[in-house]
Amino acid sequence: MKISELLKTKEVTISCELFPPKKGSELKKAHEVVQEMAKVKPSFMSVTYGASGGISEHTVDLANEVQNVNGVLALAHLTCASSSRDKIQEVLGELRGHKIENILALRGDIPEGLDFPLPGQYHHASELMEEIRAFGDFCIGGACYPEGHPEAESIEADIDNLKRKVEAGCEFFTTQMFFDNNILYNFLYRALKKGIEVPVVAGIMPVTNAKQIKRIASLSGTILPQRFRAIVERFAGHPAALKQAGIAYATEQIIDLIANGVGHVHIYTMNKPDVAGAIFANLSEIYQAKA
Ligand code: FAD
């Protein structure tokens, strides 16, 4: 099934995310994570592609595991910053071979030291989207940034570039994480005003450990509301309490989103089936009632 259809027909969808291992020897463990994660019955599961702009050898394998072994709709990420056009064609062929119809098409971060763009290769995600569209019969999603992409001149300019993605075939967006829902509501209003009418899936990151918080703080532009910072400060020295508070914070964000008409939510579950399980359990009635 195409995710564009799912988002049209369901009032509420809740999806989650996996990242593939770097080494092939760790694939077995990753397959176990998929199996555990599938038990919460997400609307779909996304599989990331080569963090920090690198290419990924295991995304297709894991997406196949999600969809064809565990029966959950898969969304395969694909980045192009450090890929050749031939490599992209190869991956598209593999996805087609596994009947995976949904791709989140991204530029990817530009790897340090890479002379970007590679000659004759990709500058932006929209070029990758055009190529996927030409390949035919994939549902294409893209990334958007409620607080603006760090390289963008302004949020307005960034939204103009989202329009280019829609023109290139993007049928839905998934947002970067945000910790204050008002930021998302403001972004949705601005995007709609610029004529962006494709569904936007809100990306929620349950912050469950101190390492994640450091990473988020280093992401330029992500606003951490006082309410969130207070939780981190209070529970930083108590990992189990921080995890519980992080799950509660994410749950509350999701309930507020759904109550305000943002029915499509993607949880950055970071290969943690227990975190996914806890959030889905918190939302069981809400998810069942509206899905
Ligand atoms: P683009 O859409 O190309 O945008 C990059 C910058 O260029 C923006 O500032 C934009 O405003 C500008 N721009 C876009 N189009 C144009 C144009 N036509 N002309 C001029 N300027 C333009 N990274 C990974 O490595 N692997 C993953 O699996 C992955 N998954 C992600 C999932 C989500 C939901 C999100 C939000 C991010 C993900 N990322 C991933 C990170 C992402 O690759 C980076 O944020 C990257 O820096 C930008 O990717 P993009 O697809 O948004 O790029």
Side-chain angles (χ1 to χ4, degrees), residues 57-184:
E57 297 301 334
H58 306 300
T59 299
V60 176
D61 184 359
L62 220 52
N64 176 52
E65 189 75 15
V66 167
Q67 189 164 297
N68 298 319
V69 179
N70 289 279
V72 175
L73 190 63
L75 170 64
H77 292 203
L78 182 59
T79 69
C80 62
S82 50
S83 256
S84 66
R85 291 183 189 268
D86 286 349
K87 176 71 188 170
I88 294 295
Q89 290 294 316
E90 184 190 314
V91 178
L92 294 178
E94 286 169 9
L95 290 170
R96 171 68 36 87
H98 288 300
K99 299 192 167 40
I100 291 160
E101 299 178 285
N102 300 290
I103 301 178
L104 196 78
L106 303 138
R107 185 196 69 184
D109 287 323
I110 300 165
E112 250 176 66
L114 182 78
D115 193 8
F116 182 82
L118 298 170
Q121 307 302 329
Y122 307 89
H123 302 73
H124 297 295
S126 52
E127 291 164 44
L128 173 62
M129 289 167 178
E130 277 166 12
E131 219 158 284
I132 299 172
R133 182 166 63 181
F135 196 96
D137 209 27
F138 280 110
C139 166
I140 306 169
C144 69
Y145 304 82
E147 297 171 71
H149 183 268
E151 291 166 36
E153 274 168 41
S154 64
I155 294 183
E156 293 302 314
D158 204 30
I159 294 176
D160 287 336
N161 289 329
L162 294 182
K163 238 184 142 181
R164 295 177 189 210
K165 296 203 220 192
V166 175
E167 284 157 12
C170 182
E171 295 169 79
F172 69 95
F173 287 108
T174 303
T175 76
Q176 177 63 287
M177 68 182 90
F178 56 90
F179 296 93
D180 177 349
N181 288 358
N182 287 325
I183 291 170
L184 181 82

Side-chain angles (χ1 to χ4, degrees), residues 113-282:
L114 182 78
D115 193 8
F116 182 82
L118 298 170
Q121 307 302 329
Y122 307 89
H123 302 73
H124 297 295
S126 52
E127 291 164 44
L128 173 62
M129 289 167 178
E130 277 166 12
E131 219 158 284
I132 299 172
R133 182 166 63 181
F135 196 96
D137 209 27
F138 280 110
C139 166
I140 306 169
C144 69
Y145 304 82
E147 297 171 71
H149 183 268
E151 291 166 36
E153 274 168 41
S154 64
I155 294 183
E156 293 302 314
D158 204 30
I159 294 176
D160 287 336
N161 289 329
L162 294 182
K163 238 184 142 181
R164 295 177 189 210
K165 296 203 220 192
V166 175
E167 284 157 12
C170 182
E171 295 169 79
F172 69 95
F173 287 108
T174 303
T175 76
Q176 177 63 287
M177 68 182 90
F178 56 90
F179 296 93
D180 177 349
N181 288 358
N182 287 325
I183 291 170
L184 181 82
Y185 300 140
N186 181 283
F187 165 79
L188 290 177
Y189 175 73
R190 289 187 195 208
L192 203 57
K193 219 169 145 198
K194 291 235 178 192
I196 294 173
E197 291 177 355
V198 299
V200 175
V201 180
I204 296 296
M205 167 76 94
V207 177
T208 54
N209 65 56
K211 211 167 116 198
Q212 273 178 306
I213 295 158
K214 264 197 200 147
R215 210 188 132 249
I216 291 160
S218 72
L219 278 177
S220 51
T222 304
I223 294 170
L224 299 177
Q226 175 52 31
R227 222 163 60 78
F228 178 84
R229 279 185 282 144
I231 290 174
V232 172
E233 276 162 32
R234 177 69 182 81
F235 302 115
H238 190 331
L242 183 60
K243 184 172 171 181
Q244 197 171 46
I247 288 168
Y249 191 94
T251 303
E252 215 183 296
Q253 260 194 293
I254 296 169
I255 292 171
D256 179 73
L257 288 168
I258 295 173
N260 284 287
V262 179
H264 303 302
V265 177
H266 184 66
I267 311 175
Y268 291 108
T269 36
M270 311 292 290
N271 290 11
K272 292 188 189 120
D274 57 332
V275 173
I279 297 179
F280 274 78
N282 285 345

